[in-house]
Amino acid sequence: MLRFVHLRGPASRATLAESLGLNRSTIMALTADLTAAGLVREELPRRPGRRAGRPSLVVRPESTRVYVLAFDAGVDRLAVARVGLGGEILDRRETTRSPGDPDGAELVNVLAGAARSLVRKAGRDAVCVGAALAFPGVVRRADHQIMFGPNLDVGDVPLGESLSRRLGLGVPVAVCNDADLGALAEHERGAGVGCDDLIYLHGDVGVGGGIIVGGRLLGGQEGFGGEIGHMMVNPNGRPCACGARGCLETEVGERTLLAHAGRAERPGETGRDAVRAVVDAADRGDIVAREALHRVGNWLGFGVANLVNIFNPGMVVFGGTLRDIYLGSAAQVRSVLASSALAAPRERVKLRTSALGDDVTLVGAAEYAFAEVLADPLQVLARLREPAAT
Amino acid sequence: MLRFVHLRGPASRATLAESLGLNRSTIMALTADLTAAGLVREELPRRPGRRAGRPSLVVRPESTRVYVLAFDAGVDRLAVARVGLGGEILDRRETTRSPGDPDGAELVNVLAGAARSLVRKAGRDAVCVGAALAFPGVVRRADHQIMFGPNLDVGDVPLGESLSRRLGLGVPVAVCNDADLGALAEHERGAGVGCDDLIYLHGDVGVGGGIIVGGRLLGGQEGFGGEIGHMMVNPNGRPCACGARGCLETEVGERTLLAHAGRAERPGETGRDAVRAVVDAADRGDIVAREALHRVGNWLGFGVANLVNIFNPGMVVFGGTLRDIYLGSAAQVRSVLASSALAAPRERVKLRTSALGDDVTLVGAAEYAFAEVLADPLQVLARLREPAAT
């Protein structure tokens, strides 16, 4: 029930009973427990229903008091948000990052400092129930250890543990692959709501992938699954930071786009803004920019065709810088898809851009952080309140 | 409980109670129900246990009385087997098939005829509880319709319905992708028992894939998932029957291997035997055969590397003709994998050959056919016996 109001918003007792297939006395009992725990509150509907008689009380998540901290360690941007139960971003801090910026310890400093200022502003009766960090690299699920992340070098610093210690809130900070979190976000709150077989492609210097199979995030044996950016598409392609050659990441990533467009060396033009500048230039008729997008769109099309054949997804979602790259090369992507993917899985697949824009990984981190409390709300809260009571 | 004795073989009541976490009185009640339905019988252990006291009765599947029909429509071989509860192949018919052989109607004729002779031999008290057919093509899950199968042209004949009608046993015949069934078979009874993230690659003229994610077969939106054979690995490669170019199937399939080995046109040398002949020749030092396997192994390595990066599987299993091709090119496959896959997912992946050999798709068809009866044994049996009682 808490998951329902978290994802779908406030709902009347009657709606909850119907949607969850529970009878009204069960709903009342559950609501009483969750209210006592401070997770939801009940109130009269703001707009009375049409039905005669006593209006059904509306169950509303305690979105300002119960929150998580969502961290996004992008290559060119660091962000922290305080996200309330129900998914609303209540407050945030954001700072740009230059590729030359130093290491993991400094990263933890910046993120922890920003988070602490958000926590202070939250007030004394607010409770942080979880935290997660989106990271552009390969992360082991069991211990959130970063195995590979050439685009954001953090050295040996254990990001999750360091951050958690610096926050001092008694919650661990889960470190997750950014594209996995993007997939989660688009599946639960974005373009892919209702689509249980979805592939999310995320661009942030590198190219990451998050894959939802049958409603669940594909992790594989150790959580490394979804590294679509390192699918080889061009055996004669560019060398990749992973040691291989012609990975999707090297053929469609922003560095390659900027190089094709003759903009690799323009100072100050990096990241999202630089990619948008190429797409804008192409829109205005710039031949070089158009050709650059055409070349990148060609390989992106092959990559998408492979994914369509392998996964038969209902939807492929492009996010991060790939959102703009796809928008600038959609015709080419669709043309390669039409000639390279099998008809059967191709016919019904939808290609979409991220509905959550630049916040997609941040929203995903928040959803990940909420997962445990949604699975067992009363226990998690009891555990968090214990130290305060002693 | 029925699933346990089906997959693991006869087990004592004590073992069942412990393995399934049920108490002995529940085991007794379940056994009584299943015995009454004719699905299992209890008997004294053949080899008495070491423990003193009354030996625990052994629950044994009624493997000769309760069976399924498993069909395998290979490109060069047709096979039908009667497979008993517990997984034993009780009886079988097999015939070779030439590429020039005619269409779907004739295929149904041959398969139905063979199946009927198996059913006659089974005796009057035996009951057929399901049937499935392994087919080398893209099959829609919802209605078992073949969407694409250039390697075995059956025209417009609805294989499943036609076979079912000709059998007249009151069971539908599920048509499934052969590699999906191979994955199921290796996961439940072959090299991949206990590995819940597994990729099965099947060679039979074409190349198919079956993917187990988190213990479940990956189907995707409509069941077309797993078409690994149509993953593009070589943008400058050979044209594929699917309309694309450089698919894994065209770069590592048996036709390409035979062409590289200068054996494409040798009469009588086709299919599994022809592939084995190339591998044998390479083993004896034939330079042309070695070079052919090296070239094919190179692309197979890229394909496996992509799958390792995308899925982080615990195991990749090579079956059908790819079993021999892998055995003949393992060094090359492993070398490309080492240079092309990310270290994290590569380090623990096992590369294995099919443990079920030429029967892998047949065993998979049997497991698929048993799935419904294992999920709800009493209801399925009741439904099957109804028409006989009236």
Side-chain angles (χ1 to χ4, degrees):
Chain A
M1 185 171 104
L2 190 59
R3 174 180 301 277
F4 189 93
V5 296
H6 170 66
L7 288 177
R8 312 266 195 99
S12 71
R13 285 186 185 175
T15 305
L16 287 169
E18 200 182 313
S19 305
L20 302 172
L22 299 169
N23 63 42
R24 290 190 66 149
S25 57
T26 308
I27 293 291
M28 274 181 70
L30 284 173
T31 308
D33 283 350
L34 293 175
T35 304
L39 289 164
V40 302
R41 65 179 186 277
E42 287 190 293
E43 52 191 36
L44 285 169
R46 286 176 188 171
R47 208 164 40 107
R50 279 181 220 155
R51 277 193 299 176
R54 213 160 52 118
S56 180
L57 285 172
V58 165
V59 179
R60 186 177 290 275
E62 280 284 8
S63 49
T64 56
R65 284 181 49 209
V66 179
Y67 72 90
V68 296
L69 289 171
F71 297 90
D72 184 18
V75 177
D76 62 355
R77 187 191 74 150
L78 300 179
V80 188
R82 191 164 68 85
V83 181
L85 189 63
E88 194 190 340
I89 295 182
L90 302 168
D91 201 355
R92 66 192 296 160
R93 297 282 182 279
E94 210 172 304
T95 170
T96 54
R97 218 190 140 267
S98 307
D101 272 7
D103 56 0
E106 182 57 27
L107 188 74
V108 170
N109 264 342
V110 174
L111 292 174
R116 276 201 308 243
S117 90
L118 293 179
V119 171
R120 270 195 303 274
K121 270 186 64 187
R124 293 195 109 196
D125 70 334
V127 53
C128 175
V129 296
L133 166 71
F135 184 82
V138 179
V139 183
R140 184 158 60 200
R141 191 175 10 184
D143 55 4
H144 299 291
Q145 197 189 316
I146 294 160
M147 310 300 286
F148 181 65
N151 293 315
L152 183 54
D153 186 9
V154 297
D156 287 336
V157 177
L159 289 188
E161 286 164 43
S162 304
L163 257 178
S164 174
R165 207 166 38 234
R166 292 283 298 278
L167 292 174
L169 296 168
V171 296
V173 178
V175 179
C176 303
N177 174 268
D178 56 353
D180 281 355
L181 294 178
L184 206 62
E186 291 293 336
H187 179 243
E188 297 196 343
R189 297 190 179 275
V193 170
C195 175
D196 277 350
D197 292 281
L198 172 154
I199 293 178
Y200 174 73
L201 277 164
H202 186 71
D204 177 19
V205 181
V207 170
I211 301 167
I212 306 277
V213 171
R216 300 172 65 107
L217 195 62
L218 182 150
Q221 188 88 338
E222 293 150 280
F224 305 141
E227 285 299 329
I228 298 168
H230 298 285
M231 168 168 67
M232 185 279 287
V233 289
N234 182 5
N236 303 313
R238 296 161 172 245
C240 180
C242 76
R245 186 176 278 281
C247 293
L248 185 65
E249 171 166 321
T250 70
E251 303 302 318
V252 313
E254 63 181 62
R255 284 186 188 130
T256 301
L257 176 72
L258 296 178
H260 287 336
R263 293 164 181 245
E265 305 303 329
R266 294 199 190 179
E269 278 200 10
T270 58
R272 296 163 206 233
D273 295 340
V275 169
R276 277 172 199 162
V278 175
V279 176
D280 289 346
D283 280 346
R284 290 192 310 268
D286 180 317
I287 301 288
V288 178
R290 280 196 178 178
E291 174 61 21
L293 280 165
H294 184 89
R295 287 172 72 180
V296 162
N298 188 51
W299 294 115
L300 189 55
F302 279 121
V304 171
N306 281 356
L307 296 170
V308 164
N309 286 344
I310 295 173
F311 288 98
N312 182 204
M315 187 181 288
V316 178
V317 181
F318 301 91
T321 53
L322 272 180
R323 181 176 184 281
D324 299 290
I325 290 174
Y326 172 71
L327 286 173
S329 64
Q332 181 63 11
V333 172
R334 288 180 180 275
S335 152
V336 175
L337 182 65
S339 63
S340 296
L342 296 168
R346 187 185 70 223
E347 268 162 12
R348 298 239 203 122
V349 70
K350 297 186 182 109
L351 306 190
R352 293 284 183 272
T353 54
S354 162
L356 301 165
D358 288 349
D359 282 337
V360 61
T361 44
L362 207 55
V363 170
E367 288 308 312
Y368 191 94
F370 272 121
E372 201 192 351
V373 79
L374 292 175
D376 194 353
L378 303 183
Q379 177 137 20
V380 170
L381 273 184
R383 201 182 60 220
L384 281 171
R385 276 166 182 169
E386 229 164 56
T390 55
Chain B
M1 186 171 104
L2 191 60
R3 175 180 299 276
F4 189 93
V5 296
H6 170 66
L7 288 176
R8 313 266 195 99
S12 70
R13 286 185 184 176
T15 304
L16 287 170
E18 201 182 311
S19 305
L20 302 173
L22 299 169
N23 63 42
R24 291 189 66 149
S25 58
T26 310
I27 294 292
M28 275 180 69
L30 284 172
T31 308
D33 284 350
L34 293 175
T35 304
L39 289 164
V40 301
R41 65 179 187 280
E42 288 190 292
E43 52 190 36
L44 283 169
R46 286 177 188 171
R47 209 163 41 106
R50 279 181 219 153
R51 277 193 300 176
R54 214 160 52 117
S56 180
L57 285 172
V58 165
V59 179
R60 186 176 290 276
E62 281 284 8
S63 49
T64 56
R65 287 180 48 208
V66 179
Y67 71 90
V68 296
L69 289 171
F71 296 89
D72 184 19
V75 177
D76 62 354
R77 187 192 75 151
L78 300 179
V80 189
R82 191 164 68 84
V83 180
L85 190 63
E88 195 189 342
I89 296 182
L90 301 167
D91 202 355
R92 65 192 298 160
R93 297 283 182 277
E94 210 172 304
T95 170
T96 54
R97 216 188 141 269
S98 306
D101 273 6
D103 57 0
E106 182 58 25
L107 188 75
V108 169
N109 264 342
V110 173
L111 292 173
R116 277 202 308 243
S117 91
L118 293 179
V119 171
R120 272 195 303 274
K121 270 187 64 188
R124 292 195 111 197
D125 69 336
V127 54
C128 176
V129 295
L133 165 72
F135 184 83
V138 179
V139 184
R140 184 159 59 199
R141 193 177 7 187
D143 55 3
H144 300 289
Q145 197 188 317
I146 294 160
M147 310 301 286
F148 181 66
N151 294 314
L152 183 55
D153 186 9
V154 297
D156 287 335
V157 177
L159 288 188
E161 286 164 42
S162 305
L163 258 177
S164 175
R165 206 165 40 235
R166 292 283 297 279
L167 293 174
L169 296 168
V171 295
V173 178
V175 179
C176 303
N177 175 267
D178 55 353
D180 281 354
L181 294 179
L184 206 61
E186 292 293 337
H187 179 242
E188 296 196 344
R189 296 188 179 277
V193 170
C195 175
D196 277 351
D197 291 281
L198 172 153
I199 293 178
Y200 175 73
L201 277 163
H202 186 72
D204 177 19
V205 181
V207 170
I211 300 168
I212 307 277
V213 171
R216 302 173 65 107
L217 196 61
L218 182 151
Q221 187 89 337
E222 292 151 280
F224 305 141
E227 285 298 330
I228 298 169
H230 298 285
M231 168 169 66
M232 185 278 286
V233 288
N234 182 6
N236 302 312
R238 298 160 171 246
C240 180
C242 76
R245 185 175 278 281
C247 293
L248 186 65
E249 170 165 322
T250 69
E251 302 302 318
V252 313
E254 63 182 62
R255 284 185 188 131
T256 301
L257 176 72
L258 296 178
H260 286 336
R263 291 162 181 248
E265 304 303 331
R266 295 198 190 179
E269 278 199 10
T270 58
R272 297 164 206 233
D273 295 340
V275 169
R276 278 173 198 161
V278 175
V279 177
D280 289 345
D283 281 345
R284 289 193 310 270
D286 182 318
I287 301 288
V288 176
R290 280 196 179 179
E291 175 60 23
L293 280 165
H294 185 89
R295 286 172 71 178
V296 162
N298 189 51
W299 294 115
L300 188 55
F302 279 121
V304 171
N306 281 355
L307 297 170
V308 165
N309 286 344
I310 295 172
F311 288 97
N312 181 205
M315 188 181 286
V316 178
V317 181
F318 302 91
T321 53
L322 271 182
R323 182 177 183 280
D324 299 291
I325 289 174
Y326 172 70
L327 286 173
S329 64
Q332 182 61 13
V333 172
R334 287 180 182 274
S335 153
V336 175
L337 182 65
S339 62
S340 296
L342 295 169
R346 186 186 71 224
E347 268 161 13
R348 299 238 202 122
V349 69
K350 297 186 182 106
L351 307 190
R352 293 281 182 274
T353 53
S354 161
L356 300 164
D358 287 350
D359 283 338
V360 61
T361 45
L362 207 55
V363 170
E367 289 307 312
Y368 191 94
F370 271 122
E372 200 191 351
V373 79
L374 292 176
D376 194 353
L378 304 181
Q379 177 138 20
V380 171
L381 272 183
R383 200 183 60 221
L384 281 170
R385 276 165 184 168
E386 230 163 56
T390 56

